[in-house]
Amino acid sequence: MARNGKNTKGLTREKAGKRRRTRKYGQTVLKHSRMGTYSCWYALGSVVLILLSLGIAFRMHGNAAGFVGGFGIVAVIFAVLGVRAGVKGLREREKKYISCRLGIAANILLLLSLLIIFTGGLGK
């Protein structure tokens, strides 16, 4: 890079950046869907809450029903919000949708597992 802000081919930084972002025939490099990444973050937050509730139940020797139930409800809310964000992310144009699909799948698996845990706890 030369001192005057131009690289060795004589292009300014702006034009060099634009050149790097486009491919042959004007196709741009696709970014991940914003709502898809939010969906993945919601799934991660739900997993963290489940693990936190398991840790609290272990530390308190099973006498933490309020904490575990509250964290479970919040984890369900996060999973529902994650599915919703993933579906909204599929509507974004010209994006990579793999994060949407992964987020939707992870959140649905979390919802099903939490549903199984809650119905198993009601049966006792």
Side-chain angles (χ1 to χ4, degrees):
M1 186 70 69
R3 290 190 180 261
N4 60 1
K6 294 186 177 186
N7 61 11
T8 56
K9 293 184 179 180
L11 297 173
T12 62
R13 288 183 188 170
E14 273 183 28
K15 288 183 181 178
K18 285 182 182 179
R19 178 177 277 185
R20 271 185 253 122
R21 281 184 251 144
T22 59
R23 293 184 180 174
K24 192 173 183 180
Y25 304 119
Q27 296 175 351
T28 60
V29 178
L30 298 177
K31 295 180 181 179
H32 286 283
S33 170
R34 182 181 305 250
M35 295 305 287
T37 55
Y38 288 164
S39 176
C40 292
W41 280 110
Y42 279 129
L44 182 67
S46 183
V47 167
V48 166
L49 283 172
I50 292 169
L51 293 177
L52 189 64
S53 67
L54 287 173
I56 288 174
F58 180 74
R59 290 278 283 179
M60 297 183 76
H61 303 289
N63 295 328
F67 288 116
V68 173
F71 285 157
I73 296 294
V74 174
V76 167
I77 292 170
F78 276 5
V80 169
L81 289 174
V83 170
R84 183 174 176 253
V87 170
K88 283 177 88 172
L90 288 173
R91 294 187 198 143
E92 294 180 22
R93 291 179 168 243
E94 297 180 11
K95 300 285 183 175
K96 288 183 185 177
Y97 300 117
I98 188 71
S99 58
C100 297
R101 293 181 183 121
L102 285 175
I104 290 171
N107 284 308
I108 287 176
L109 285 175
L110 284 167
L111 276 173
L112 288 176
S113 64
L114 287 171
L115 182 68
I116 290 169
I117 290 170
F118 287 158
T119 55
L122 290 176
K124 290 187 176 185

